[in-house]
Amino acid sequence: MTGGSAEPMEELVAEPAVDERLRRWRLVLGGDPADGTGHVPAGRDAGMDAALTALYGKGDQDGRRPAAGRDRAGGLGASAPSVARWLGDIRAYFPAPVVQVMQRDAIDRLGLAALLLEPETLAAVEPDVHLVGTLISLHAAMPETTRETARAVVRKVVEDLERRLAVRTRTALAGALDRSARVHRPRHGDIDWNRTIAANLRHYLPEHRTVVPERLVGYGRAARSVRKEVVLCVDQSGSMAASVVHAAVFGAVLASMRALSTRLVVFDTAVVDLTDQVDDPVDVLFGTRLGGGTDIDRALAYCRSRITRPAETVVVLISDLFEGGVRDGMLKRVAAMQAAGVRFVALLALSDEGAPAYDREHAAALAALGVPAFACTPDLFPEVMAAALEGRPLPIPDAAGQGITDMPTHR
């Protein structure tokens, strides 16, 4: 091939890449006359552009900077059928994670929460944790015709979470409970031979090539009875919606383990004990009331009154720590529970969203008591609970979010 033929070949290769860039920029900019792309969407791109225009084409109505392509026309209108069609369109054009982002933007930017009370709208959405939080906050206003559809949407999200989290949680906690139940006078069938050999290596007899097991280590038979008690104390203020959803799922998983006694308490300025519904996360979620104030002191007072075996109890407070009640009272109750032998864990969030805004003064005060407050992902929660049940240091994500550090136990 001669040098003169290379230049046309380079143009043929580069041209599709240029066109693809113009196409993407056109979809981002939205056809503003000054966007400079000169690209006209056609076919599937035209449908994608229309779906984006309906949501982002009018700019932000609360005074913030509008999206690129502010001159776009369109909108979803206040019609449930038109919203349902739009929801169907975005599911056809975009992957599920993008659909979920667009749904959240539609609810926030265009005030579509009320339209989620319409069955045809609700049936068209892509279920996710954030949508569940919105539905739970609206459930008191739902017409009867919508409630069953809403429960079906919530149940789908809950079942997806359970499939992802349940096996790992049960495995991690079962191991922790077994280890915490080891005894030193086990029956023959309960001997943990690996740990017994390790504990007796100094009694090795070279001439007989054997270890004399002077001290036996084994598992107790307490697995058939309750060994540990867990209290989940969950803030149901509006900012904690995703945490409430995950706490309900984990509550059901923990309650399914015979060796654990699980209590689930939710609170705002009032305290509601949902332990009798903990087996069904959907019932739990529809028993919550997202929003309102926060009285952590009152919630902890209730939890403390229900603890019968402090040395065998783990209390998990899930809250952003903004206290509307007695500020010093919360810290005094935590200190009192610790003094009685309770293992206390404070989670700023139980979600994949990282730490929310939180009361840093309260977080620092808890840390001074030996109770670090940190945001916990659902994937990390089983490890946190296993460490708490065993009395081990908690695996805490480091400040950079790039690893895990251990927090020493203070008992």
Side-chain angles (χ1 to χ4, degrees):
M1 181 177 293
T2 64
S5 63
E7 186 173 342
M9 180 63 72
E10 288 176 357
E11 292 178 359
L12 290 173
V13 172
E15 187 174 336
V18 172
D19 287 346
E20 178 62 16
R21 286 199 299 271
L22 291 176
R23 168 185 172 271
R24 289 174 177 268
W25 276 113
R26 169 58 183 80
L27 289 172
V28 169
L29 296 173
D32 188 296
D35 71 12
T37 65
H39 184 83
V40 179
R44 182 180 177 84
D45 283 357
M48 293 174 66
D49 187 60
L52 291 167
T53 296
L55 176 56
Y56 301 110
K58 290 190 172 184
D60 222 325
Q61 298 178 12
D62 62 2
R64 291 177 294 176
R65 182 179 178 180
R70 69 181 67 190
D71 292 337
R72 288 181 179 182
L76 301 182
S79 162
S82 67
V83 173
R85 285 193 296 272
W86 179 80
L87 289 167
D89 287 344
I90 64 174
R91 291 174 74 174
Y93 294 132
F94 303 102
V98 176
V99 170
Q100 292 167 5
V101 170
M102 293 180 72
Q103 287 177 172
R104 292 199 296 273
D105 284 350
I107 292 169
D108 294 339
R109 293 168 60 93
L110 302 180
L112 296 184
L115 286 177
L116 290 177
L117 304 181
E118 300 287 343
E120 59 266 40
T121 304
L122 200 49
V125 296
E126 182 75 25
D128 71 342
V129 169
H130 300 89
L131 178 62
V132 169
T134 301
L135 293 178
I136 297 307
S137 67
L138 294 172
H139 77 88
M142 281 183 183
E144 194 63 36
T145 54
T146 307
R147 290 186 179 179
E148 284 307 310
T149 306
R151 287 184 73 89
V153 171
V154 172
R155 187 167 296 281
K156 182 179 187 305
V157 174
V158 164
E159 289 175 351
D160 288 346
L161 288 173
E162 283 186 305
R163 278 192 293 271
R164 181 166 72 88
L165 301 170
V167 172
R168 180 178 177 181
T169 302
R170 293 192 185 101
T171 300
L173 269 59
L177 290 165
D178 284 344
R179 287 186 291 272
S180 68
R182 286 195 176 98
V183 296
H184 297 293
R185 289 186 179 179
R187 301 178 184 182
H188 180 77
D190 295 332
I191 296 173
D192 182 343
W193 287 109
N194 288 334
R195 289 181 65 88
T196 295
I197 292 170
N200 291 277
L201 285 176
R202 65 180 180 276
H203 304 304
Y204 178 68
L205 301 177
E207 64 274 21
H208 297 289
R209 302 180 66 184
T210 189
V211 171
V212 177
E214 289 190 1
R215 184 168 69 89
L216 299 177
V217 180
Y219 298 106
R221 289 185 172 268
R224 296 181 185 141
S225 61
V226 172
R227 290 204 297 270
K228 296 285 186 178
E229 298 183 9
V230 174
V231 180
L232 299 178
C233 186
V234 187
D235 184 344
Q236 62 175 350
S237 58
S239 61
M240 302 297 293
S243 297
V244 172
V245 175
H246 287 108
V249 172
F250 278 116
V253 175
L254 298 179
S256 70
M257 302 182 68
R258 289 184 298 175
L260 285 177
S261 173
T262 303
R263 182 175 295 275
L264 178 61
V265 175
V266 299
F267 67 93
D268 42 34
T269 53
V271 180
V272 181
D273 193 327
L274 297 174
T275 303
D276 59 343
Q277 301 173 44
V278 72
D279 292 337
D280 189 338
V282 177
D283 285 344
V284 166
L285 290 171
F286 279 97
T288 62
R289 184 184 62 190
L290 291 176
T294 308
D295 194 337
I296 304 174
D297 177 55
R298 184 175 184 180
L300 292 181
Y302 176 84
C303 293
R304 187 183 179 194
S305 71
R306 295 299 185 269
I307 295 173
T308 58
R309 300 190 302 156
E312 305 300 329
T313 300
V314 176
V315 173
V316 182
L317 172 65
I318 304 173
S319 173
D320 55 17
L321 303 180
F322 287 111
E323 174 65 300
V326 182
R327 289 184 63 86
D328 292 339
M330 178 192 81
L331 298 172
K332 290 178 180 178
R333 293 194 192 281
V334 173
M337 282 191 274
Q338 285 188 300
V342 173
R343 184 75 189 272
F344 199 92
V345 179
L347 303 181
L348 301 171
L350 180 55
S351 72
D352 289 310
E353 301 172 340
Y358 64 94
D359 190 312
R360 295 180 180 276
E361 182 180 339
H362 265 149
L366 285 174
L369 294 174
V371 180
F374 59 99
C376 179
T377 65
D379 288 333
L380 180 61
F381 185 74
E383 298 175 39
V384 170
M385 286 303 303
L389 290 170
E390 289 187 75
R392 294 188 285 107
L394 300 180
I396 301 173
D398 62 24
Q402 297 177 345
I404 292 176
T405 57
D406 286 336
M407 176 68 187
T409 179
H410 291 255
R411 290 294 296 269

